Amino acid sequence: MKAQTTQRAEPDLLYSEEEEALRAAVRDLLADHCDPAAVIARTESGAPHDRETWKALAEGMGLAGLLVPEALGGQGATHREAAVVLEELGRAVAPVPYLTSAVVATEALLACDAGDLLAELAAGRRIGALAVALNTAPGGAHRTVRIENGLLRGELTGIADAVAADVLLVPAEDGGLYAVDADAVTVTAQVSLDLTRPLATVVLDGVAARRIGEAAPAVRRALRAGAGLLASEQLGVAEWSLTETVRYLKERKQFNRPVGGFQSLKHRLAQLWLETVHTRAAARNAADALAGASADADVAVALAQAYAAPVAVHAAEEALQLHAGIGMTWEHPVHLYLKRAKADSIAYGTAGSHRQALAELVDLQAP
């Protein structure tokens, strides 16, 4: 599919006063509920998701319904506000299913006739998960389940946050998207690199389900929004990595002077700052394009993911190396950010797949 030539207004990459106020509120909440030691402790437990933090975000602040129209019980906001929330969640590597439920599952439901489910997700009463492997790119092929005597049968793997979901949105072989109660399926946790966003295998063994719409447009819409707003989460990871590394290098001394004063380290930090600033521009452009339903949204999303994924990984790797020995310890949270960055780098398509998609969208032939 080629990008349309319709021109859109210049993208607004700046944050509004309302968005900055939202950021401050979310950051304060996460400071109280989601400190690094608590996140590390939770990854060591059998319950990786922080239900208390999720409840505060979804029910207390109403953030689960940002993308849901007010008529359906949501906040009637846009992807710009959701992107701000994801930046802060990325900065805290918060173990909550916001991206998977409040963005991806919600976007899938918005493409279907499922107002009741949307209202429940928006209010935080239920958590949703799209039963498509996390590494699936927008427009990419995905597995479906069989329909036998009106019941769903099959196995799906790599489903993010399925262990926390109350309802699963399952694509089937007849082209439909079905809503399935999580209690009716078998969800088995998989070994995941990122322990704050666990993956699972979902087995459906003759499960009754409700058809809510067509799978193809719903899944594509959901994955595009997921990929576009994932860039904001990756921005949060990169910003934390840069900020904490600069702070540490100002404090740590060698030869009676701050390590951060060494010119070679200044060069590395300056390069990382440039990459992070550029990532912010790409992520904000994607959020703005999605918010305005721009004809260039596919281009903006592909560009954001092609750039943000490697930057987040680089920032986390630099944080690990420049924290030296302490960065290699389990007690220091930098490993959480590196794992999140690595896992995010293949979520909703790799940077390479998005570069290829971008080339096709702008009709740029490969050499």
Side-chain angles (χ1 to χ4, degrees):
M1 176 180 177
K2 305 301 182 186
Q4 298 183 28
T5 57
T6 303
Q7 296 296 316
R8 69 182 176 107
E10 288 297 322
D12 182 4
L13 307 186
L14 301 179
Y15 299 96
S16 67
E17 291 184 6
E18 292 78 8
E19 289 166 352
E20 290 292 4
L22 174 61
R23 177 196 307 284
V26 174
R27 186 172 296 188
D28 286 346
L29 185 149
L30 293 175
D32 293 336
H33 290 79
C34 206
D35 62 277
V39 177
I40 292 174
R42 187 162 293 281
T43 63
E44 297 173 324
S45 71
H49 291 96
D50 189 338
R51 295 283 182 168
E52 182 180 350
T53 300
W54 172 251
K55 184 176 181 179
L57 288 166
E59 298 181 23
M61 298 183 67
L63 300 183
L66 282 181
L67 299 180
V68 179
E70 292 183 74
L72 296 175
Q75 302 298 319
T78 72
H79 300 80
R80 290 175 58 94
E81 289 79 15
V84 170
V85 174
L86 282 164
E87 284 182 36
E88 294 307 310
L89 294 177
R91 287 178 66 94
V93 285
V96 295
Y98 189 85
L99 180 66
T100 48
S101 182
V103 175
V104 176
T106 295
E107 286 279 352
L109 290 174
L110 285 169
C112 302
D113 182 18
D116 56 334
L117 281 177
L118 270 174
E120 291 182 329
L121 262 62
R125 292 191 296 270
R126 303 182 82 183
I127 296 172
L130 180 66
V132 172
L134 182 61
N135 65 341
T136 306
H142 57 83
R143 296 185 65 179
T144 60
V145 297
R146 306 184 306 278
I147 300 179
E148 298 177 0
N149 299 320
L151 302 178
L152 302 185
R153 294 184 182 276
E155 179 178 303
L156 302 168
T157 60
I159 311 303
D161 291 333
V163 294
D166 301 300
V167 59
L168 297 167
L169 308 180
V170 182
E173 62 183 358
D174 68 343
L177 187 67
Y178 290 80
V180 179
D181 287 335
D183 292 339
V185 305
T186 301
V187 179
T188 305
Q190 296 178 236
V191 177
S192 306
L193 175 63
D194 179 10
L195 299 177
T196 63
R197 181 174 288 147
L199 305 179
T201 297
V202 176
V203 177
L204 300 93
D205 189 13
V207 176
R210 164 190 163 197
R211 181 176 174 132
I212 56 175
E214 295 295 321
V219 170
R220 190 184 187 286
R221 173 174 176 168
L223 296 183
R224 185 178 73 163
L229 295 188
L230 178 64
S232 292
E233 178 180 285
Q234 291 163 322
L235 170 61
V237 170
E239 286 185 327
W240 181 92
S241 301
L242 175 60
T243 300
E244 287 301 305
T245 303
V246 170
R247 182 191 60 77
Y248 176 74
L249 294 182
K250 285 182 177 180
E251 295 176 354
R252 185 179 177 222
K253 292 185 178 180
Q254 191 175 55
F255 306 118
N256 203 31
R257 61 178 293 192
V259 174
F262 298 150
Q263 191 168 14
S264 61
L265 297 188
K266 286 183 178 179
H267 289 168
R268 291 170 69 172
L269 293 174
Q271 178 62 35
L272 192 56
W273 179 83
L274 284 173
E275 292 177 2
T276 302
V277 170
H278 294 162
T279 298
R280 181 182 297 112
R284 292 298 293 169
N285 182 52
D288 188 66
L290 288 168
S294 167
D296 295 329
D298 287 344
V299 172
V301 168
L303 177 62
Q305 268 307 302
Y307 192 83
V311 169
V313 172
H314 180 220
E317 288 176 341
E318 287 286 76
L320 179 67
Q321 291 184 15
L322 295 179
H323 274 82
I326 192 175
M328 298 297 295
T329 63
W330 183 263
E331 291 76 13
H332 196 282
V334 69
H335 66 90
L336 297 175
Y337 292 84
L338 180 56
K339 291 171 183 174
R340 173 65 69 89
K342 285 283 190 179
D344 281 357
S345 70
I346 61 172
Y348 307 118
T350 63
S353 68
H354 284 286
R355 283 194 292 270
Q356 182 177 355
L358 181 61
E360 294 174 356
L361 286 166
V362 299
D363 200 20
L364 179 63
Q365 298 298 320

